[in-house]
Amino acid sequence: MSRPAWKTELASCITGPEALDLSPRREQAMNRVIQRYPMRVPPQLARLMDASDPLCPIARQVLPHPDELRSGGQADPLDEENFFIAPGVIRRFDDRLLVLVCNTCPVLCRHCNRKRYWKSDGKPPALATPKDIAEALKKSAGRIKEVILSGGEPLLRSDADLNRLLMAARGHAGVELLRIHSRAPVSLPNRITPGLVRMLRRHRPLWFVTHFNHAKEIDKQASHALERLQTAGIPVLNQAVLLKGINDSLKALEDLGRALLTAGVKPHTLFQLDRAEGTLHFQVPLKKAVALVAKLRARRSGLLTPHLLADLPGRGGKVPITPSAIETFVENGAWIKGSDGKRVFYRC
Ligand code: SF4
């Protein structure tokens, strides 16, 4: 049997600056960063980026930058490590399980909040097996309504593995919904094969949540991958992260929203950056984020405007950041109303 095209693409990822024809100074600077945070750029994004343009919104997301070595932030900004209830299974919310099924990705995003797993001295997490999922669901005594497959990139697992993992979740009474959180439509769109889609279709209701941050990422191949999912009756939502210098302008957010809607995808959420080590240079001040989304909402279609959310560590929850949710801004953050109505300090 011939090798699937996506595996060939995966084998051609760029892992160092030498392939990019950059100045020796920039190459050296990138190599210093790579010693701590490796680099991987799949052919799809290499085709779309302009490595020589310091403002290219794709290059900024995927090429190592010296700012990553600045101190600050936490290894585990969401405190996930304290919420494993089985190998690879995180329960931070009462009704949802997040399941880590793969610890690698076709692209190593510079803003990733799980950089702790793939940095050079990082310890990749244990991955969940179908048995771990079943046990975690049993332990949760029927309270879990949604199971989310994540990673790393869950779609780097084979169709057969994914089928088994989804079956383990689906086989438990009370689980209503399955979700896959994947950046494959951005980084490896030919992974969305007819075979994969046929298998996913059998597990409906299943929602596919993807992660486009800029309109430039949505080319013909990406649109084709999204269309395949939708044609099979799998709804696709987008979860973006607000990133300084990449999508923190009205125009960039509007263009992203329009490109997503044209591809049939709802711009669902826009997250404030989690304060992960090696990512703080992407942080957009909360005040600016709130103003941007309010302007977008006021001027453009509601369909185009995502919910601005902050993910608070531990059980703090995903809090919608609206002007009324903010009590007061202070120098290094803001006091906001948490999901339970309590006042919480959000560092930003
Ligand atoms: S694809 Fe997701 S998990 Fe992988 S590096 Fe990017 S943000 Fe992190």
Side-chain angles (χ1 to χ4, degrees):
M1 224 164 66
S2 64
R3 196 186 202 196
W6 65 271
K7 286 202 172 166
T8 308
E9 285 239 335
L10 204 56
S12 319
C13 289
I14 298 172
T15 55
E18 302 72 23
L20 295 174
D21 194 23
L22 303 170
S23 69
R25 207 167 140 205
R26 192 152 169 226
E27 235 184 63
Q28 253 175 25
M30 278 169 66
N31 276 326
R32 268 198 299 278
V33 181
I34 287 170
Q35 282 173 25
R36 187 179 312 171
Y37 298 116
M39 161 184 175
R40 189 177 304 132
V41 183
Q44 165 73 2
L45 293 176
R47 280 188 291 270
L48 294 177
M49 76 174 174
D50 178 353
S52 65
D53 176 3
L55 299 180
C56 169
I58 297 181
R60 288 176 76 105
Q61 288 183 68
V62 302
L63 297 185
H65 190 281
D67 283 349
E68 291 174 56
L69 302 179
R70 276 186 356 210
S71 56
Q74 290 107 39
D76 177 15
L78 300 178
D79 196 21
E80 291 180 321
E81 299 298 327
N82 283 320
F83 290 89
F84 278 98
I85 60 165
V89 183
I90 299 173
R91 186 179 180 197
R92 283 176 57 218
F93 304 105
D94 195 45
D95 63 344
R96 274 154 285 168
L97 289 185
L98 182 85
V99 183
L100 307 183
V101 300
C102 182
N103 51 31
T104 55
C105 303
V107 58
L108 294 176
C109 310
R110 310 325 292 180
H111 60 274
C112 177
N113 68 359
R114 296 201 183 113
K115 254 175 151 167
R116 67 186 182 279
Y117 288 145
W118 56 261
K119 67 179 183 177
S120 48
D121 58 352
K123 192 171 169 269
L127 299 180
T129 62
K131 196 166 157 234
D132 295 325
I133 297 177
E135 272 169 19
L137 284 166
K138 214 160 125 197
K139 240 186 240 174
S140 311
R143 298 176 75 93
I144 300 299
K145 305 286 177 218
E146 287 180 41
V147 175
I148 303 162
L149 298 196
S150 180
E153 173 52 67
L155 296 195
L156 289 189
R157 298 293 297 266
S158 69
D159 295 0
D161 282 355
L162 288 168
N163 188 36
R164 279 190 283 273
L165 291 158
L166 291 167
M167 269 174 25
R170 183 53 85 210
H172 202 272
V175 173
E176 294 167 353
L177 214 68
L178 302 177
R179 272 203 253 166
I180 295 198
H181 279 211
S182 161
R183 220 177 175 217
V186 184
S187 58
L188 196 66
N190 55 10
R191 174 64 185 98
I192 314 295
T193 59
L196 172 76
V197 167
R198 267 197 307 278
M199 182 276 291
L200 294 180
R201 190 184 150 79
R202 292 203 295 273
H203 293 284
R204 288 183 303 163
L206 179 146
W207 289 68
F208 195 100
V209 181
T210 190
H211 178 177
F212 288 91
N213 289 324
H214 195 274
K216 206 175 160 189
E217 293 164 330
I218 310 178
D219 73 338
K220 240 188 181 164
Q221 268 97 319
S223 302
H224 185 58
L226 296 168
E227 194 185 341
R228 260 199 185 142
L229 289 162
Q230 291 156 354
T231 309
I234 299 167
V236 188
L237 299 174
N238 191 61
Q239 179 175 294
V241 183
L242 189 60
L243 298 168
K244 187 174 172 183
I246 292 168
N247 57 15
D248 62 334
S249 70
L250 204 54
K251 173 154 178 19
L253 289 178
E254 182 176 344
D255 289 351
L256 174 63
R258 286 200 193 290
L260 287 166
L261 289 178
T262 306
V265 177
K266 168 77 182 94
H268 179 50
T269 47
L270 178 66
F271 276 94
Q272 266 296 107
L273 185 86
D274 301 325
R275 293 179 54 83
E277 264 170 15
T279 69
L280 296 191
H281 55 297
F282 288 119
Q283 187 157 54
V284 177
L286 193 63
K287 218 178 215 172
K288 177 173 177 179
V290 173
L292 266 176
V293 175
K295 262 190 212 157
L296 194 64
R297 180 161 288 117
R299 293 184 192 178
R300 299 294 176 238
S301 135
L303 262 186
L304 187 144
T305 310
H307 301 289
L308 179 65
L309 296 182
D311 201 352
L312 302 180
R315 289 201 183 275
K318 296 182 199 287
V319 182
I321 305 289
T322 55
S324 61
I326 296 171
E327 287 195 358
T328 173
F329 284 104
V330 290
E331 199 189 318
N332 56 351
W335 286 96
I336 56 178
K337 266 182 238 131
S339 45
D340 53 3
K342 284 190 191 141
R343 199 169 179 253
V344 270
F345 182 68
Y346 180 63
R347 184 133 192 255
C348 54

